[in-house]
């Protein structure tokens, strides 16, 4: 009996020694600090206990249109660089984005170089030469051989989407910001890919709670990694006005002084900060759509300027969470001067085609007044060369333009079919499926329940093209997941509500509907756990997902 125990102890000890030795070999063989042609960033290695999680070509989210696996592997060598075709500064910037993602974890000091043809083996190559027009502006073809990684896009946007696929085909540890042991292996094969819908977005409400420029940028960056392309910025509501309007400065200075729960110091973006966010989104091929909510949800504006109120008296600022009590004064001409000034200033700062004018829950406005107001707002938006988008209630106006968009949200009283009958397109954000502020479960600490509980499965199992009767085919512009922030206070809260649901909405917007199902998706999503962890995302470990 005793002998047996000793034998067992020796065996375990030998095994431990063998494992340690094997690990040492693995780390030294791939040690990024080993001599090579370039000087790596001297950050200490944080070893991953289990080693890099192997990725397969089949774990990409959103699921690509087509994947052909050739069964081999490409190992990113420490000498690797990213080559882009010469004469296109835009491609150099895309290459740099990828280099900036790969360098901290690999320590390879990857540079972006230009070339007039395929580069030497052992590199990454991004080009629009030979790009396939049938893949569209955001489509790409990624080819990984044992020698080279090549992304060909018809347009630079396609290359940017394609490099997100490269990130996901590398081990999850690539997303760390500290040096990690390799090897940085990718499966070989070909991915041909393009999006199903033109609009794949998320909205962030910075009015109920204010978020810093850095937080907003992080949200945009996380969106980019799942190929989303529209950032809807909810900039005003009853509780706060968040953008400096030079012709009406009190909106930001006074109206930006509150949020849900109390006061908030300087809680607005200067125009320079707004432009910085626009440019940040643009460099990730994400269009920013600003929203100024009206005629309801306007208490912060009404509190800032007495003349915007029908009775000429400014109400107190509001820090609660009720909706539907405020309205701009529909009959006063100053109201339209205000709207025109705000939209003119914002349009000048916004390169995207759309201006979101809210239009939801105008319960303090009669229908006749509402219709008259929104009709005039549509004229103003178009006068500033933008297309109007509003929450679906805007479909009630008689002259709804075909270029205007109604955003479906209210599942009990939908105006989406009316919008389609008038020739306009619909953006899908059904509250019971796509609202990121709904709780996952009854006991989720954050969020609301008015539209129902949305766990990761519920959030994934629907189709934007069939969810509303009378709104299908070409009438559906895309899908957007709004994050309202009545109960959301920190960036960590934002991440908890958006992840892991947002990658699912990204897939609904990007991937073909055929062949998609929850049972397959949940496994793929589970494989993204280590990736989200490496990105530092505070995601919710929903138990319906088999997390790796
Ligand atoms: C509604 C309302 C918002 C709330 C949100 C909370 C729309 C379009 N208007 O959605 O003001 O913040 O619900 O879930």
């Amino acid at each position: 009996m005793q002998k047996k125990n000793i034998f067992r102890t020796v065996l375990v000890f030998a095994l431990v020694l063998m494992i340690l030795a094997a690990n040492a070999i693995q780390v030294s063989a791939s040690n990024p600090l080993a001599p090579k042609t370039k000087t790596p960033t001297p950050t200490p290695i944080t070893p991953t206990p289990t080693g890099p999680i192997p990725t397969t070509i089949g774990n990409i989210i959103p699921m690509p249109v087509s994947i052909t696996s050739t069964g081999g592997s490409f190992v990113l060598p420490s000498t690797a660089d990213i080559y882009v075709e010469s004469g296109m500064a835009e491609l150099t910037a895309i290459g740099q984005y990828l280099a900036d993602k790969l360098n901290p974890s690999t320590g390879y000091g990857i540079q972006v170089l230009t070339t007039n043809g395929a580069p030497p083996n052992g590199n990454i190559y991004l080009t629009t030469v030979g790009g396939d027009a049938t893949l569209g502006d955001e489509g790409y073809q990624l080819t990984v051989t044992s020698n080279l990684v090549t992304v060909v896009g018809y347009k630079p946007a396609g290359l940017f989407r394609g490099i997100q696929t490269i990130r996901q085909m590398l081990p999850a540890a690539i997303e760390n910001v500290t040096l990690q042991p390799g090897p940085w292996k990718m499966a070989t094969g070909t991915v041909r890919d393009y999006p199903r819908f033109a609009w794949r977005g998320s909205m962030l409400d910075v009015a109920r709670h204010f978020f810093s420029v850095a937080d907003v940028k992080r949200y945009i960056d996380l969106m980019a990694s799942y190929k989303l392309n529209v950032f809807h910025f909810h900039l005003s509501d009853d509780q706060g006005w968040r953008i400096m309007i030079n012709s009406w400065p009190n909106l930001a200075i006074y109206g930006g002084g509150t949020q849900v729960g109390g006061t908030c110091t300087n809680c607005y973006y200067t125009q320079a900060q707004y432009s910085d966010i626009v440019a940040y989104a643009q460099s990730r091929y994400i269009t920013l759509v600003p929203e100024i909510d009206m005629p309801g949800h306007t208490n912060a504006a009404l509190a800032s300027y007495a003349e915007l109120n029908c009775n000429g008296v400014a109400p107190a600022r509001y820090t609660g969470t009720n909706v539907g009590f405020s309205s701009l004064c529909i009959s006063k001409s100053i109201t339209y001067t205000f709207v025109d000034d705000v939209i003119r200033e914002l349009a000048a700062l916004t390169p995207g085609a759309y201006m979101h004018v809210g239009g939801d829950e105008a319960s303090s406005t009669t229908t006749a007044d509402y219709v008259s107001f929104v009709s005039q707002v549509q004229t103003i938006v178009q006068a500033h060369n933008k297309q109007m988008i509003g929450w679906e209630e805007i479909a009630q106006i008689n002259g709804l333009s075909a270029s205007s968009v109604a955003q479906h949200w209210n599942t009990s009283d939908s105006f989406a079919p009316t919008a389609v009958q008038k020739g306009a397109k619909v953006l899908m954000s059904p509250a019971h499926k796509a609202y990121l502020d709904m709780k996952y479960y009854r006991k989720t600490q954050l969020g609301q329940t008015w539209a129902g509980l949305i766990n990761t499965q519920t959030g994934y199992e629907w189709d934007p093209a069939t969810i509303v009767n009378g709104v299908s085919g070409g009438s559906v512009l895309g899908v957007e997941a709004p994050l309202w922030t009545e109960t959301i206070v920190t960036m960590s809260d934002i991440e908890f509500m958006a992840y892991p649901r947002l990658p699912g909405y990204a897939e609904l917007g990007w991937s073909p509907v055929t062949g998609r199902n929850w049972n397959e998706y949940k496994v793929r999503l589970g494989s993204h756990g280590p990736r989200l962890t490496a990105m530092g995302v505070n995601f919710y470990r929903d138990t319906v997902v088999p997390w790796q």
Side-chain angles (χ1 to χ4, degrees):
M1 191 64 182
Q2 239 180 10
K3 252 191 199 163
K4 226 183 191 175
N5 272 343
I6 291 167
F7 179 65
R8 210 181 279 158
T9 313
V10 169
L11 198 73
V12 168
F13 188 60
L15 260 173
V16 167
L17 273 182
M18 274 165 66
I19 290 167
L20 282 178
N23 273 341
I25 288 163
Q26 203 202 340
V27 171
S28 72
S30 59
N31 184 356
L33 297 175
K36 57 178 185 298
T37 50
K38 276 176 289 171
T39 335
T41 336
T43 331
I45 294 189
T46 320
T48 327
T50 48
I53 309 281
T55 358
T56 76
I57 203 165
N59 280 341
I60 300 159
I61 296 178
M63 174 60 99
V65 172
S66 106
I67 296 174
T68 317
S69 174
T70 49
S73 63
F74 169 87
V75 181
L76 190 74
S78 61
T79 52
D81 282 315
I82 295 168
Y83 283 77
V84 301
E85 69 192 83
S86 57
M88 287 188 77
E90 203 176 338
L91 297 206
T92 301
I94 295 170
Q96 194 56 51
Y97 183 91
L98 181 59
D100 290 345
K101 294 285 175 203
L102 306 185
N103 277 330
S105 48
T106 62
Y108 287 173
I110 295 166
Q111 290 171 9
V112 182
L113 307 171
T114 55
T115 177
N116 288 317
N121 287 344
N123 291 296
I124 297 174
Y125 180 35
L126 311 177
T127 183
T128 56
V129 174
D132 181 350
T134 63
L135 297 181
D137 289 3
E138 290 185 279
Y140 65 92
Q141 176 158 323
L142 166 65
T143 310
V144 183
T145 67
S146 54
N147 296 323
L148 200 64
V149 176
T150 307
V151 191
V152 186
Y154 175 57
K155 286 282 162 65
L159 297 178
F160 188 80
R161 304 295 173 235
I163 66 174
Q164 309 315 317
T165 303
I166 293 182
R167 286 170 68 186
Q168 292 193 11
M169 285 173 66
L170 284 161
I174 198 75
E175 298 294 340
N176 277 278
V177 290
T178 54
L179 203 55
Q180 305 293 311
W184 303 108
K185 212 188 255 191
M186 291 172 75
T188 60
T190 302
V191 176
R192 263 179 75 81
D193 205 9
Y194 54 87
R196 180 179 180 205
F197 291 109
W199 186 308
R200 308 174 310 279
S202 184
M203 185 209 81
L204 184 63
D205 168 10
V206 293
R208 270 51 178 275
H209 280 100
F210 182 68
F211 295 91
S212 68
V213 172
D215 286 346
V216 172
K217 285 182 173 177
R218 175 162 168 84
Y219 196 69
I220 290 171
D221 225 8
L222 291 173
M223 284 174 63
S225 56
Y226 287 101
K227 301 190 177 83
L228 293 167
N229 68 348
V230 180
F231 176 59
H232 170 177
F233 208 11
H234 185 77
L235 288 165
S236 73
D237 215 300
D238 290 316
Q239 298 85 349
W241 184 285
R242 307 298 180 206
I243 173 76
M244 173 52 77
I245 300 296
N246 293 330
S247 50
W248 297 74
N250 268 355
L251 292 169
I253 293 167
Y254 184 72
T258 44
Q259 61 180 352
V260 167
T263 54
C264 192
T265 312
N266 287 334
C267 290
Y268 66 88
Y269 310 105
T270 63
Q271 292 201 350
Q273 286 174 321
Y274 176 83
S275 295
D276 181 35
I277 293 170
V278 167
Y280 193 85
Q282 224 173 6
S283 69
R284 281 138 183 84
Y285 295 85
I286 290 178
T287 303
L288 188 146
V289 176
E291 177 183 352
I292 298 295
D293 208 340
M294 55 183 106
H297 290 276
T298 42
N299 193 77
L302 298 169
S304 305
Y305 287 97
E307 58 267 47
L308 294 177
N309 297 272
C310 283
N311 65 1
V313 180
R317 291 182 295 188
Y318 182 70
T319 60
T321 56
N322 288 338
V323 294
F325 61 89
S326 56
S327 181
L328 292 173
C329 189
I330 309 301
S331 58
K332 277 187 163 179
S333 66
I334 184 103
T335 298
Y336 303 94
T337 308
F338 163 81
V339 172
D340 187 64
D341 287 341
V342 170
I343 291 187
R344 178 172 27 79
E345 287 195 35
L346 257 185
L349 298 168
T350 309
Y354 290 96
M355 193 61 53
H356 202 304
V357 299
D360 56 320
E361 300 175 317
S363 333
S364 310
T365 319
T366 63
T367 304
D369 275 358
Y370 178 85
V371 164
S372 148
F373 175 82
V374 177
S375 304
Q376 294 181 69
V377 169
Q378 180 176 262
T379 305
I380 293 170
V381 168
Q382 291 174 352
H384 294 295
N385 298 316
K386 298 292 179 191
Q387 287 169 251
M388 179 174 80
I389 172 167
W391 299 103
E392 63 192 312
E393 290 95 319
I394 64 155
Q396 295 171 90
I397 70 170
N398 302 326
L400 186 71
S401 294
S403 63
S404 293
V405 174
Q407 185 167 8
H408 167 62
W409 66 280
N410 196 343
T411 47
S412 58
D413 192 11
S414 178
F415 288 103
T418 312
V420 173
Q421 283 152 22
K422 293 181 179 175
K425 287 200 164 58
V426 172
L427 176 62
M428 289 297 176
S429 303
H432 68 308
K433 289 288 184 185
Y435 265 28
L436 291 168
D437 61 318
M438 290 303 121
K439 288 177 186 284
Y440 292 90
Y441 298 99
R442 202 167 49 82
K443 289 191 174 164
T444 305
Q445 311 90 299
L446 301 169
Q448 316 202 58
T449 55
W450 70 263
L453 300 170
I454 308 180
N455 73 6
T456 311
Q457 179 172 0
T458 306
Y460 181 79
E461 285 189 312
W462 62 285
D463 180 9
T466 55
I467 189 132
V468 181
N469 282 334
V471 185
S472 59
S475 300
V476 180
L477 185 58
V479 55
E480 184 178 290
L483 180 48
W484 302 97
T485 58
E486 285 94 333
T487 68
I488 309 301
V489 183
T490 64
M491 188 65 208
S492 168
D493 293 350
I494 288 180
E495 291 175 10
F496 183 85
M497 298 308 273
Y499 291 85
R501 290 182 290 197
L502 195 55
Y505 302 123
E507 176 145 313
L508 295 189
W510 181 284
S511 309
V513 68
T514 39
R516 265 204 286 111
N517 67 77
W518 166 252
N519 280 329
E520 182 277 326
Y521 174 71
K522 72 178 180 191
V523 178
R524 211 154 20 96
L525 180 60
S527 80
H528 282 239
R531 198 165 290 280
L532 291 169
T533 302
M535 289 167 146
V537 177
N538 176 37
F539 67 100
Y540 171 55
R541 292 190 160 264
D542 193 342
T543 52
V544 294
V545 179
W547 296 107
Q548 265 184 18

